């Protein structure tokens, strides 16, 4: 249906800090090796935000400033700005409003979405609804996480995985058949047992005891999460393809959340998609949680063509997971 109004990504930009944390650096911090990290995760280095006074909103603001430069978008034109993150600057206010203030988006309102590694997909689907409803014309969706602020650098199980970064996209209406075609988003709160940050919320407010017990960091049962991640990403990708009468051969690009190279290759194998069609940058940035998918789109932007069929797919804490099918707009 070419005339149907759809929300399309019409610009993308990414921002990562300059400081690198390499596997060699981690070898000096915990009992690990470049060989273990590379073979088990595919990660070689991650970016770490070390600018004093900077937080998630600053990375997000940098990503959006670059997006405005690329697209000609003016701050006053932004109607809505959504930030997907699990590392908000503060428990409240939300990071999106801080970003709006920092970039001068005086006519926008904003809010955060907390869906861990699926956050960008949840936020993209949410932002798209304001476009297709005809309520707004310019929606900015950001995925940004400063994972170094909640990573325990004495825990080898998790500290090798995460990095910091931000990615942003502009959503606008299109009636030429391009844009977001469909999405399948899921959640299962029972998964909170396996992937969470134990303290700091209303259940266990911060105290000397929670700090002593190191409960303000990511906790993950990696093996369990691994299995659910592959199943969740594959099943939702297949579902969104099936109900749009698309075969895997018609997919030009799979854009998977970058948690582990073995998860990415396993998802590609189960779907039957060759790795040449799968966006990968995990070796450079590790798992930047909500930022991985927009950072991939940013780095592969030059290779995308108008009309390309993309499957965005992710799995993360919650559990949350899902897939979005979109046709690239430019
Ligand atoms: N260096 C060396 N050895 C290590 C390290 C390390 N950095 N980390 C763990 N090990 C050891 C373990 O202690 C264990 O040793 P043992 O057998 O003596 O007990 C051994 O290596 C194997 O550990 P596993 O946890 O079984 O390793 P696995 O192959 O499962 O890899 C990993 C771990 C990378 C975490 C993997 O399970 C994974 O990627 N899981 C899913 C991550 C994911 O998708 N998360 C969701 C998104 S994140 C979010 O939402 C915030």
């Amino acid at each position: 249906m070419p005339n149907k109004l759809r929300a399309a990504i019409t610009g993308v930009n990414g921002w990562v800090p300059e400081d690198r944390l390499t596997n060699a650096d981690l070898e000096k911090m915990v009992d690990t090796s470049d060989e273990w990290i590379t073979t088990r995760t595919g990660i070689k280095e991650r970016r770490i935000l070390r600018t004093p006074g900077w937080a998630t909103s600053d990375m997000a603001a940098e990503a959006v400033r670059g997006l405005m430069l690329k697209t000609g978008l003016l701050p006053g034109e932004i109607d809505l700005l959504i930030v997907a993150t699990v590392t908000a600057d503060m428990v409240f206010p939300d990071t999106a409003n801080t970003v709006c203030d920092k970039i001068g988006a005086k006519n926008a309102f904003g809010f955060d979405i907390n869906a861990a590694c699926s956050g960008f997909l949840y936020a993209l689907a949410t932002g798209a609804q304001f476009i297709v409803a005809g309520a707004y014309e310019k929606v900015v969706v950001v995925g940004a996480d400063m994972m170094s602020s909640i990573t325990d650098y004495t825990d080898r199980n998790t500290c090798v995985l995460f990095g910091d970064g931000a990615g942003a996209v502009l959503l606008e209406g299109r009636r030429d058949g391009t844009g977001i075609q469909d999405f399948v988003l899921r959640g299962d709160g029972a998964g909170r047992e396996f992937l969470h940050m134990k303290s700091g919320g209303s259940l266990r407010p911060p105290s000397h005891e929670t700090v002593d017990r190191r409960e303000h960091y990511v906790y993950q049962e990696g093996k369990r999460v691994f299995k659910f991640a592959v199943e969740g990403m594959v099943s939702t990708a297949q579902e969104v393809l099936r109900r749009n009468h698309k075969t895997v051969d018609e997919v030009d690009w799979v854009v998977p959340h970058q948690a582990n190279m073995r998860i990415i290759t396993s998802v590609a194998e189960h779907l039957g998609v060759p790795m040449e069609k799968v966006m990968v940058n995990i070796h450079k940035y590790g798992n930047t949680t909500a930022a991985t998918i927009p950072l991939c789109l940013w780095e592969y932007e030059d290779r995308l063509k108008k009309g390309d069929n993309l499957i965005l797919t992710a799995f993360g804490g919650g559990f949350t997971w899902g897939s979005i099918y979109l046709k690239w707009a430019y």
Side-chain angles (χ1 to χ4, degrees):
M1 272 193 291
N3 291 328
K4 188 178 168 192
L5 178 64
R6 290 192 169 90
I9 294 176
T10 57
V12 59
N13 191 53
W15 190 88
V16 289
E18 277 183 15
D19 274 1
R20 290 155 204 258
L21 180 69
T22 65
N23 291 352
D25 296 329
L26 285 160
E27 283 177 350
K28 294 180 202 129
M29 296 160 66
V30 289
D31 180 15
T32 190
S33 64
D34 173 48
E35 199 267 332
W36 193 96
I37 302 170
T38 306
T39 54
R40 295 299 182 105
T41 73
I43 303 167
K44 297 302 273 185
E45 61 181 34
R46 325 97 192 105
R47 301 301 182 93
I48 304 293
L49 183 64
R50 293 200 175 105
T51 311
W54 275 42
T56 296
S57 69
D58 298 286
M59 296 193 295
E62 287 298 320
V64 179
R65 283 191 194 105
L67 179 70
M68 292 192 293
L69 274 178
K70 277 175 82 172
T71 59
L73 173 73
L74 299 171
E77 292 177 325
I78 301 172
D79 299 306
L80 164 64
L81 186 144
I82 307 175
V83 176
T85 188
V86 291
T87 50
D89 287 19
M90 295 188 259
V91 171
F92 78 91
D94 63 307
T95 308
N97 272 298
T98 304
V99 176
C100 287
D101 177 46
K102 287 181 175 171
I103 63 169
K106 300 286 182 211
N107 300 315
F109 88 105
F111 55 86
D112 291 2
I113 285 187
N114 176 334
C117 299
S118 311
F120 184 76
L121 297 192
Y122 275 41
L124 194 64
T126 303
Q129 302 317 304
F130 288 87
I131 302 272
V132 295
Y136 294 134
E137 288 182 3
K138 293 182 194 298
V139 173
V140 172
V141 178
V142 186
D145 268 301
M146 184 179 168
M147 293 306 288
S148 63
S149 68
I150 57 165
T151 297
D152 181 352
Y153 287 99
T154 66
D155 174 14
R156 71 174 183 175
N157 290 297
T158 51
C159 75
V160 302
L161 303 173
F162 297 105
D164 302 337
V169 300
L170 173 61
L171 280 179
E172 294 178 284
R174 287 287 181 270
R175 291 187 185 274
D176 59 1
T178 64
I180 294 173
Q181 310 289 310
D182 197 6
F183 53 87
V184 175
L185 298 175
R186 300 265 190 265
D188 180 0
R192 65 189 182 279
E193 189 186 331
F194 309 114
L195 181 50
H196 58 249
M197 187 171 109
K198 209 173 281 306
S199 292
S202 57
L203 180 63
R204 290 185 200 84
S207 67
H208 288 292
E209 289 73 29
T210 63
V211 172
D212 289 344
R213 289 197 298 263
R214 309 187 78 76
E215 290 177 357
H216 297 271
Y217 296 120
V218 175
Y219 168 84
Q220 174 172 256
E221 290 183 29
K223 255 200 197 336
R224 269 183 200 272
V225 178
F226 193 111
K227 186 171 153 278
F228 285 117
V230 175
E231 278 171 16
M233 291 162 80
V234 170
S235 63
T236 54
Q238 285 172 336
E239 186 177 342
V240 83
L241 284 174
R242 194 167 48 241
R243 71 187 197 191
N244 288 278
H245 313 292
K246 290 283 159 202
T247 66
V248 169
D249 295 340
E250 291 172 277
V251 174
D252 297 291
W253 291 100
V254 174
V255 194
H257 169 56
Q258 312 279 303
N260 183 319
M261 192 59 202
R262 288 186 294 140
I263 294 179
I264 296 171
T265 49
S266 187
V267 166
E269 268 170 33
H270 280 86
L271 288 176
V273 174
M275 281 307 288
E276 305 84 75
K277 290 183 171 185
V278 181
M279 295 190 188
V280 175
N281 60 14
I282 190 169
H283 49 291
K284 295 196 284 186
Y285 307 131
N287 182 352
T288 54
T289 302
T292 63
I293 289 179
L295 284 175
C296 276
L297 292 173
W298 170 53
E299 294 206 326
Y300 280 78
E301 186 186 18
D302 289 353
R303 296 168 64 180
L304 294 170
K305 296 186 305 296
K306 185 172 179 177
D308 276 356
N309 290 310
L310 273 64
I311 295 289
L312 282 44
T313 184
F315 186 94
F319 292 142
T320 55
W321 69 98
S323 295
I324 292 182
Y325 163 41
L326 62 84
K327 273 189 188 293
W328 196 247
Y330 61 97

